[in-house]
Amino acid sequence: RLATEFNLNNEIEPHFLTTEELKQATTEQKNLRGDILIHMKTYDPKARKYVMTKVVVDITVINPLADSNITSSAEPKSGILASILKREKEKIKKYSELAEKRKWKFIPLVFTTLGGNGTSTGSFLASLAANHPHQYREDEESKKTSIILQNL
């Protein structure tokens, strides 16, 4: 919904595998999909300019207070941020290589039930804002965008 509101071309649940690869893939491999593939401008530091990129995102919502996310306070990386970073790393490990094969950029979008989000999520939302024609205006479009983001 967010990509559509920003008028960005998008595809829901894109396969990481090509049509040919899907013919020979296992059931587990066939089930590997991103949540949304978005065609958007991203900054290429090597070229020093914005370029059109296919970005595949995987959206995850975690409860940092769930038993599986609570760690001992004696651990150096504990708490809500550690839960977010852990999930981001898991998603990157699972999907980034597959995305690279398709020449896509992979971004894990991790939100918490307490309203927090991961660093990748913040960067991605900033990129979306940069693609939006009304990015910093206080008008109805900006208010609508804000409401959509809050309801993710």
Side-chain angles (χ1 to χ4, degrees):
R1 179 176 170 196
L2 186 61
T4 303
E5 290 293 332
F6 279 108
N7 294 318
L8 297 171
N9 290 332
N10 64 87
E11 179 184 335
I12 305 300
E13 293 190 348
H15 279 287
F16 283 104
L17 303 177
T18 64
T19 305
E20 287 301 313
E21 291 171 328
L22 281 170
K23 291 177 184 176
Q24 300 170 8
T26 65
T27 303
E28 184 179 341
Q29 291 170 326
K30 289 178 183 178
N31 289 332
L32 289 174
R33 300 172 183 231
D35 288 326
I36 308 169
L37 178 66
I38 303 171
H39 303 254
M40 62 186 284
K41 289 181 185 176
T42 58
Y43 185 73
D44 181 350
K46 290 180 184 176
R48 295 184 185 183
K49 64 180 182 178
Y50 284 90
V51 295
M52 286 305 291
T53 307
K54 291 183 179 181
V55 177
V56 64
V57 298
D58 187 78
I59 302 167
T60 303
V61 179
I62 63 169
N63 179 353
L65 302 177
D67 289 342
S68 59
N69 291 322
I70 295 176
T71 58
S72 166
S73 59
E75 291 185 37
K77 288 188 175 181
S78 63
I80 294 172
L81 181 58
S83 299
I84 293 170
L85 293 174
K86 178 183 174 193
R87 188 59 58 91
E88 282 183 340
K89 286 180 183 178
E90 290 170 356
K91 294 293 183 176
I92 288 168
K93 182 178 179 181
K94 185 174 182 180
Y95 294 121
S96 65
E97 189 175 312
L98 293 166
E100 285 174 19
K101 286 181 182 178
R102 296 290 302 265
K103 298 189 181 346
W104 297 344
K105 180 177 180 180
F106 174 73
I107 301 175
L109 301 183
V110 180
F111 297 91
T112 74
T113 55
L114 301 176
N117 59 263
T119 54
S120 296
T121 304
S123 297
F124 174 75
L125 294 176
S127 292
L128 273 183
N131 276 278
H132 196 272
H134 305 290
Q135 58 188 356
Y136 297 112
R137 292 180 34 197
E138 279 297 321
D139 58 12
E140 288 304 311
E141 190 69 23
S142 295
K143 290 175 186 173
K144 187 164 87 173
T145 300
S146 179
I147 291 167
I148 292 167
L149 289 173
Q150 291 172 27
N151 288 319
L152 282 180

